[in-house]
Amino acid sequence: FWEWDVDPLTRQPSVPNGDIQDIAELLDAADLIYMQNAKFDAHALRTIGISLPWDKVRDTLAMGHLLASNHRHDLTWMCIEYLGVDIEKYEDAVEATVKHCRDIVRRQYPYWQIAQEGNPMMPSLKVSSGRDEDKPWRNDMWLPSALARVMEPTWDVKGVSIYANADSEHTLFLGLEMERIIRDRGLWSIYEHRLQLPRAAYKMECYGVTVVGDYTESTIGKYGQYVAEASCVLESIASGYGHNLELAEGASINDNMRDFIYGAVWQSCDMCGYRKRVKHWNGERPNPDAICPKCAKPSRKHAGCSYVMATGRRDNLSLPVIQSKKTHTATLDKEAMQEYMDTVDSELLEFIKLLTDKRKHDTDLSYMEAYQRFWLSVEGTSDYFRIHAGLNPFATDHLRWSSSHPNLQNVGKQEDECEECDGKGCAYCNYTGKTRYSVRNCFGPAPGREWWSMDFKNIELRMPAYESGEESMIELFEKPNEPPYFGSYHCLNASIVYPELFWPLAEVEDGFKRQYKSREYQWCKNGG
């Protein structure tokens, strides 16, 4: 193994040319190379000018996904599952060592560049992230060796190299054992085919996707202004009810907002002013005998006193509670907001519509700001940027990929027509017919290039439709431009589930979708 010194001021390693040559020769001489998440190693090797010989690679991550797609695929867990060996002790040890080093650096070497959330050069770092690789300490494993060069010679830095070598050693034995199981099950040809995926993902990550900078930045500015203005109006409406509205950050909802929408209930102590919210929207009820916990707590100067708290109420909007079908708790999701808009009027409707629009713009803003945080300039252009998002072919229990840093699989295409002109264009919408645009407009080909769209057109449904001989589904696939379904299996579902609503509109393309988009069409689409 090789260890390199890192400059603590620049975080750049000093890599001897002889080491690069040794690594390249080792890879060239190998018959097979076992790796856990080979795509990551390929990127690391590329930074020192070495191309990974993909034809020699055996990826244990791909093996784990093939053998048990709904099990965990991290190295520690798979070593337990397939080898009966727990290597977590090595990771625990290096985590403790690195975090200790980070504490020392903060105190004694504050000018060193340790990893931290908010650093524009490290956009993926997030203390609260559930992904291990996003934790700041994982990006500072160079610290123990760096500190050893400036501190006492007894400083122990073995933990990191022991951890690193434990990973590589166990990856080899894990790969051999998993390969044996795959061959015993007759899955080797499938595995060989799926080994193409890490290489494809690696190439896609290297190239990335281009973003139109000027459009994205101007849209961020417009949406930010809209959100600020909408927040002021929402707070003004709430103040008319005597409620000090505290809007949650982004598109989320907090208890203060729930107090305004459902009505506020609280219990308070007249003696000390202590106040406790009663979450009646989730079934909580005020306790008429509740004792103030602050007054009841004794101190050196005063004995505890038992004061019964009074119950207070404010109706505010007093909208009925709509429960989530999943959690059976109060929800303000898209369906609930649509139900409110269908049933309320006057100022209530104004508040619900404005809050819904603000949340949509907040969501779009969070996406666009993430694109801006991760993008890099495209050489030779002034207005185009490139995003190198992470792509994982083995992240889900099924065969779909995942995307991260940032997620480019949820780029919304939703747009809102201007209600002032019904989408025809007016001064209010700057004659565009829209008040909210698809986030996909942020992306586009760089100068001198063009993009082509490829779509397998519901291949997951076509295969079982033809295999089973289901005539209605075959018809909609073979006649995508003809009634009654116009190529939509959602409409086919609707014709069965809601025949009295669907068939009067069957001759009009998207007739049922436009008429019942917010409820019945969505239920057919999402429920299948």
Side-chain angles (χ1 to χ4, degrees), residues 443-480:
F443 298 88
R449 294 184 173 271
E450 58 185 31
W451 282 5
W452 287 58
S453 174
M454 294 191 297
D455 192 339
F456 283 108
K457 297 294 183 185
N458 293 315
I459 193 170
E460 298 100 327
L461 287 175
R462 285 175 179 260
M463 290 163 61
Y466 280 91
E467 193 69 19
S468 64
E470 183 61 54
E471 295 181 0
S472 296
M473 290 189 73
I474 293 173
E475 179 185 0
L476 75 88
F477 288 133
E478 293 189 348
K479 301 177 180 178

Side-chain angles (χ1 to χ4, degrees), residues 36 61 64-65 68-75 77-78 394 396:
Q36 165 74 2
L61 185 61
H65 195 258
S69 66
N70 62 340
H71 290 196
R72 287 171 53 180
H73 303 134
D74 57 277
L75 184 63
W77 181 260
M78 290 199 298
F394 312 117
T396 64

Side-chain angles (χ1 to χ4, degrees), residues 245 253-264 280-282 316 330-332:
L245 185 64
I253 296 290
N254 58 26
D255 285 343
N256 178 278
M257 297 172 70
R258 294 185 180 94
D259 276 346
F260 181 63
I261 291 171
Y262 303 127
H280 62 93
W281 56 84
N282 279 341
N316 295 331
T331 182
L332 291 170

Side-chain angles (χ1 to χ4, degrees), residues 340-355:
Y340 288 139
M341 283 192 282
D342 292 341
T343 54
V344 303
D345 53 21
S346 67
E347 194 173 47
L348 296 181
L349 180 60
E350 179 189 356
F351 183 89
I352 294 300
K353 288 183 66 176
L354 190 57
L355 178 60

Side-chain angles (χ1 to χ4, degrees), residues 143-214:
L143 278 181
S145 295
L147 278 175
R149 296 199 303 271
V150 297
M151 297 183 71
E152 65 273 10
T154 57
W155 181 261
D156 183 13
V157 295
K158 295 180 181 177
V160 179
S161 59
I162 292 174
Y163 161 77
N165 289 323
D167 272 11
S168 56
E169 177 185 0
H170 285 85
T171 297
L172 174 60
F173 289 106
L174 176 66
L176 293 171
E177 174 61 13
M178 295 175 88
E179 180 172 333
R180 182 190 65 79
I181 297 172
I182 289 173
R183 291 184 183 277
D184 287 348
R185 294 184 185 178
L187 303 175
W188 188 251
S189 60
I190 297 176
Y191 175 67
E192 284 187 310
H193 186 72
R194 289 185 61 74
L195 266 180
Q196 300 176 44
L197 297 180
R199 184 177 190 174
Y202 165 77
K203 294 174 69 175
M204 292 164 69
E205 288 179 358
C206 287
Y207 190 78
V209 62
T210 44
V211 186
V212 185
D214 183 56

Side-chain angles (χ1 to χ4, degrees), residues 108-164:
Q108 301 183 28
Y109 305 97
Y111 48 89
W112 283 20
Q113 295 297 312
I114 61 173
Q116 55 187 337
E117 185 176 344
N119 187 326
M121 298 303 294
M122 305 175 195
S124 62
L125 297 189
K126 198 168 186 180
V127 176
S128 60
S129 173
R131 294 167 55 92
D132 283 344
E133 55 265 40
D134 295 345
K135 304 296 185 183
W137 75 266
R138 280 190 167 275
N139 296 268
D140 282 340
M141 292 191 189
W142 56 274
L143 278 181
S145 295
L147 278 175
R149 296 199 303 271
V150 297
M151 297 183 71
E152 65 273 10
T154 57
W155 181 261
D156 183 13
V157 295
K158 295 180 181 177
V160 179
S161 59
I162 292 174
Y163 161 77

